[in-house]
Amino acid sequence: MGATREIYWNIGHGAVVAMYLLALVAVGFMAQGFRQRLALWRKGKPLDRADHPAARVSRMLADIISQRKVARVPEGGVPHAMLFWAFLLLFAGTLLVMAQADLLTPLFRINLLSGDFYRLFSLVLDLAGLLALVALGVLATRRFVLRPPGLESAPADVAIHLLLFGVLFTGFVVEGFRMAATELRSNPELALWSPVGYLFASLFSAMTAHAQRVAHVALWWFHLLLGLGFIALIPRTKLRHMATTSGNSYFEPHEPKGTLAPVDLDDERAERFGASAISDLFWKDLFDADACMKCGRCQQRCPAWLTGKPLSPMKVIADIREVAEAENGKPLIDTVSRDAIWSCTTCGACEETCPASIEHVGKIVEMRRSLVLMEGEFPGDEARRACDAIEINGNPFGLAQASRGDWAKGLPLSAAKAEAEILYFTGCYASYDPRNRKVAASFARICDAAGVTVVILGGEERCCGEPARKLGNEYLYRMVAESNIAAIRATGARRIVTACPHCFNTLARDYRELGLDLPVEHHSTFIRRLVGEGRLKLNPASFSATYHDSCYLARYQNIVEDPRLVVEAAGGRLAEMAWAGSEGFCCGAGGGRILAEERMGTPMVDERLRQAKKTGASTLVVACPFCLSMFEDGLKRQPGTPELAPLDLAEVVARSIVQP
């Protein structure tokens, strides 16, 4: 006998009509379920996520096939990806069998499932089923036995695992009965190409042919019903993430990372700003809620959660879904809770690690906008006073606007603004804070040594507005942003450099929405280029160092290697912290939290200092004034002599400059 088999053996082609009718019913139930979810998503505001369709489809297919976002998740990521790939092969095999039986054979008399192709087909599908069972077993053990923190389980999770196991296991049993009655008797060599099926067939080989047939047909229908039940349940259980997670790969924004939804403050018809009700969120926010599978990864990476704050990004998404599904108009902000909303540092760790491409930060900022713009609520009176000071004095300290450029007295800066190579946007901390003024002075000396002419705005510069905007105060952000843009244009500047990642993101990304179209660079990449081009000569002196990644550099701008290369060029022997690069740990100052006191849990900076000290380095290098201030304050609270010396990247380089 050749290498092939009779499709629908022992079932009969008469049962095919019933099979397809049942399949149509299952697909109908699935479609009805997704129609119900669509009605839920439509509770949100319109949002265009259909631009760049070719790029979106390409990214979606790459994400789906490679499972790259899922596989990078520690512990459960790889087995989850294995389970997907296995089911993908099994589904493809099922479609091929259907095409062969109902299209190729009756219409074209072509049999693809024969010879070496059938042998390979049998082996691949058999091993795919085994791989799926193993992956499912690993995932079940992790969820129900090991129970890692943050991974929530409910009775529905047990039911889903049992359903998947039933589909896979009955598939092997059905195959075993078929092989025991056919291939083991007439073509044992072919049976070896289905090794797992062969084992089951061996268990049933002692049964009579009649018993094998009866058991086979009964289990075949049971297996079919389990499979169709799986299809019908997809939109009604967490299984819907198969569609919504894939959809999220398509609907991901094409704007630069960290872009917030614009607010039309001039719209006289607007009755409210921000999100105080579910209808104030975008449809994509509700779609995200259906894409969440509660894997807990975002919670496990959230610095607020890990330091005892009442913020779980996973719970925020779950709360949004709960409000969307409620029939009684459940309040959004009170359900999520104000403490959770104000605890966020907008560090982006949740979004960076989420395998479902969920956008957490924008939702939180929208709720903050409602609290600030509609209710006048802030995370504390100190944050309110800081915002008032920005409005009046242009800085959160309430210091005189005219003294903003005093730090530069006696330093080599250019007077001819239009002819300068760069405009140095100093930022509030480097302008007023004595510790960060040293950073600004170091940067000025670096530029002078490299022959780079520099100008500053001085008294014309105001806070970039980023902390206020992340707190939800869009009005204040717009006011200072427009003032800064006018001042920058008046200088005739051609390029902007800043040492503050928050200023960098705001000027390079957000100000473009307001018409500023100038190249903006962070001082880490700027210094790296000066060294690389030979314009800046360094005399490195060996020292041990660890580098703290600013969230707004590493995650928002993917600037990871440049600052490290600069440290090494200055003689630093880098020892990396456990959480580094795009998976770094926030200092606690982002999201406007630099303006507010940290009243709940453990200070984030204390945890980050603990991680830094663990490296044994003597120098903690940073590239952000917020981070530097947080580390200085954190070390002051600790008894004894500090084990670490926090230095900005510019300070490290300035002390290594070759003197003429």
Side-chain angles (χ1 to χ4, degrees):
M1 178 182 287
T4 188
R5 72 176 172 92
E6 179 187 349
I7 299 177
Y8 302 136
W9 172 86
N10 196 40
I11 303 300
H13 288 277
V16 173
V17 175
M19 179 187 73
Y20 278 117
L21 287 175
L22 288 172
L24 188 61
V25 171
V27 171
F29 271 104
M30 181 180 69
Q32 175 62 20
F34 276 117
R35 279 197 296 270
Q36 293 172 351
R37 303 316 293 181
L38 180 61
L40 183 145
W41 304 333
R42 283 178 171 168
K43 290 183 178 181
K45 296 187 299 186
L47 179 68
D48 182 15
R49 287 291 175 88
D51 57 329
H52 310 288
R56 289 182 180 277
V57 169
S58 175
R59 179 179 59 197
M60 180 182 68
L61 292 176
D63 286 345
I64 292 174
I65 295 172
S66 70
Q67 289 288 286
R68 54 192 177 190
K69 291 186 177 181
V70 173
R72 73 182 183 184
V73 175
E75 298 175 347
V78 172
H80 193 286
M82 290 166 55
L83 184 65
F84 169 81
W85 290 323
F87 264 95
L88 185 64
L89 287 172
L90 292 171
F91 181 66
T94 301
L95 292 180
L96 183 55
V97 167
M98 293 168 61
Q100 178 65 65
D102 304 317
L103 181 64
L104 298 178
T105 296
L107 297 182
F108 303 103
R109 300 292 186 266
I110 297 174
N111 186 10
L112 289 180
L113 298 180
S114 62
D116 289 339
F117 181 80
Y118 176 69
R119 294 186 181 93
L120 181 63
F121 172 85
S122 299
L123 180 63
V124 168
L125 262 63
D126 204 70
L127 296 179
L130 177 62
L131 179 65
L133 278 175
V134 171
L136 188 63
V138 171
L139 292 172
T141 301
R142 178 173 179 265
R143 177 177 289 274
F144 304 119
V145 179
L146 300 179
R147 297 179 178 272
L151 184 60
E152 299 180 357
S153 296
D157 297 305
V158 177
I160 289 173
H161 277 75
L162 289 176
L163 176 61
L164 292 174
F165 178 81
V167 170
L168 294 167
F169 186 77
T170 57
F172 277 123
V173 174
V174 169
E175 185 71 355
F177 277 119
R178 183 194 66 80
M179 291 174 61
T182 57
E183 292 171 10
L184 281 190
R185 299 175 186 273
S186 59
N187 197 354
E189 181 275 333
L190 181 60
L192 295 176
W193 287 90
S194 299
V196 183
Y198 181 83
L199 291 177
F200 279 90
S202 300
L203 295 176
F204 309 138
S205 60
M207 296 173 62
T208 65
H210 176 73
Q212 290 170 346
R213 284 178 173 270
V214 171
H216 171 266
V217 71
L219 279 169
W220 186 92
W221 282 106
F222 183 61
H223 173 71
L224 174 66
L225 292 175
L226 283 178
L228 297 180
F230 170 82
I231 293 173
L233 287 174
I234 287 175
R236 295 171 173 82
T237 65
K238 284 165 59 173
L239 290 170
R240 61 176 168 260
H241 80 267
M242 293 190 298
T244 50
T245 298
S246 301
N248 254 359
S249 290
Y250 182 87
F251 294 128
E252 275 189 85
H254 274 269
E255 294 81 12
K257 191 180 295 185
T259 300
L260 296 176
V263 177
D264 188 359
L265 296 172
D266 300 321
D267 185 0
E268 297 180 353
R269 297 170 300 173
E271 297 181 356
R272 59 180 185 243
F273 298 107
S276 60
I278 205 70
S279 57
D280 296 327
L281 292 172
F282 294 101
W283 69 263
K284 174 61 167 56
D285 296 321
L286 307 186
F287 189 88
D288 277 351
D290 266 357
C292 179
M293 62 195 82
K294 289 190 175 182
C295 68
R297 180 60 177 162
C298 59
Q299 180 176 286
Q300 294 164 10
R301 300 300 299 186
C302 176
W305 175 263
L306 293 173
T307 54
K309 314 297 188 297
L311 168 64
S312 162
M314 178 179 70
K315 187 176 182 302
V316 169
I317 302 303
D319 288 341
I320 289 174
R321 181 170 63 245
E322 178 185 332
V323 174
E325 292 176 340
E327 299 294 335
N328 56 358
K330 198 170 185 179
L332 174 63
I333 290 177
D334 289 340
T335 301
V336 175
S337 92
R338 286 166 164 78
D339 285 342
I341 292 169
W342 290 125
S343 294
C344 180
T345 65
T346 68
C347 71
C350 51
E351 295 186 8
E352 181 71 24
T353 195
C354 178
S357 305
I358 291 171
E359 302 164 51
H360 308 75
V361 174
K363 300 169 180 53
I364 292 174
V365 172
E366 285 298 316
M367 287 184 278
R368 286 181 173 183
R369 283 172 169 172
S370 176
L371 290 172
V372 172
L373 298 177
M374 303 307 298
E375 300 182 29
E377 179 178 326
F378 287 83
D381 288 339
E382 71 284 359
R384 184 194 308 275
R385 289 192 297 270
C387 286
D388 289 343
I390 291 174
E391 183 174 359
I392 297 169
N393 301 98
N395 65 83
F397 312 111
L399 298 174
Q401 178 76 13
S403 65
R404 193 175 185 102
D406 288 356
W407 68 269
K409 290 179 180 178
L411 291 172
L413 299 178
S414 174
K417 292 186 176 182
E419 298 175 4
E421 188 171 341
I422 66 167
L423 166 65
Y424 176 48
F425 192 91
T426 314
C428 297
Y429 272 74
S431 296
Y432 293 104
D433 175 52
R435 177 65 187 86
N436 276 283
R437 279 185 167 188
K438 297 177 182 179
V439 177
S442 295
F443 181 74
R445 287 194 290 272
I446 288 171
C447 291
D448 182 56
V452 177
T453 53
V454 182
V455 296
I456 62 172
L457 293 176
E460 298 300 314
E461 182 183 295
R462 298 171 70 83
C463 174
C464 71
E466 189 269 350
R469 191 183 198 201
K470 292 299 166 58
L471 285 178
N473 197 338
E474 190 74 15
Y475 172 81
L476 179 56
Y477 158 73
R478 189 71 58 83
M479 184 183 75
V480 294
E482 291 174 351
S483 175
N484 281 327
I485 291 172
I488 291 169
R489 284 173 174 164
T491 66
R494 293 165 292 177
R495 175 178 294 274
I496 303 172
V497 177
T498 180
C500 176
H502 299 268
C503 296
F504 172 45
N505 276 271
T506 304
L507 270 66
R509 181 194 59 217
D510 302 338
Y511 278 20
R512 287 186 181 275
E513 299 172 0
L514 302 177
L516 181 67
D517 190 18
L518 286 177
V520 184
E521 192 170 7
H522 186 255
H523 80 325
S524 61
T525 59
F526 182 72
I527 295 172
R528 169 73 182 99
R529 194 170 66 256
L530 292 179
V531 174
E533 293 173 354
R535 296 179 65 181
L536 182 63
K537 305 295 184 182
L538 300 182
N539 183 20
S542 180
F543 65 98
S544 63
T546 189
Y547 176 72
H548 165 76
D549 290 276
S550 162
C551 304
Y552 275 69
L553 279 187
R555 276 194 281 269
Y556 280 79
Q557 293 289 345
N558 301 314
I559 297 176
V560 174
E561 293 301 322
D562 281 338
R564 286 171 167 78
L565 292 173
V566 171
V567 173
E568 292 174 348
R573 303 186 312 277
L574 279 171
E576 294 287 1
M577 287 180 260
W579 293 33
S582 62
E583 294 193 351
F585 195 92
C586 182
C587 73
R593 294 295 314 177
I594 189 70
L595 306 181
E597 294 179 10
E598 197 170 350
R599 296 182 176 88
M600 291 176 286
T602 302
M604 292 184 202
V605 69
D606 289 358
E607 171 58 25
R608 190 52 165 169
L609 283 170
R610 185 193 67 79
Q611 297 171 14
K613 290 177 180 178
K614 199 171 181 179
T615 66
S618 61
T619 305
L620 174 57
V621 183
V622 302
C624 172
F626 290 6
C627 297
L628 182 59
S629 294
M630 296 296 286
F631 287 133
E632 291 281 1
D633 291 344
L635 288 170
K636 289 175 183 176
R637 291 195 304 270
Q638 299 179 2
T641 303
E643 303 172 27
L644 283 171
L647 290 176
D648 186 85
L649 190 68
E651 295 177 295
V652 171
V653 173
R655 70 184 186 182
S656 302
I657 294 174
V658 174
Q659 300 299 325

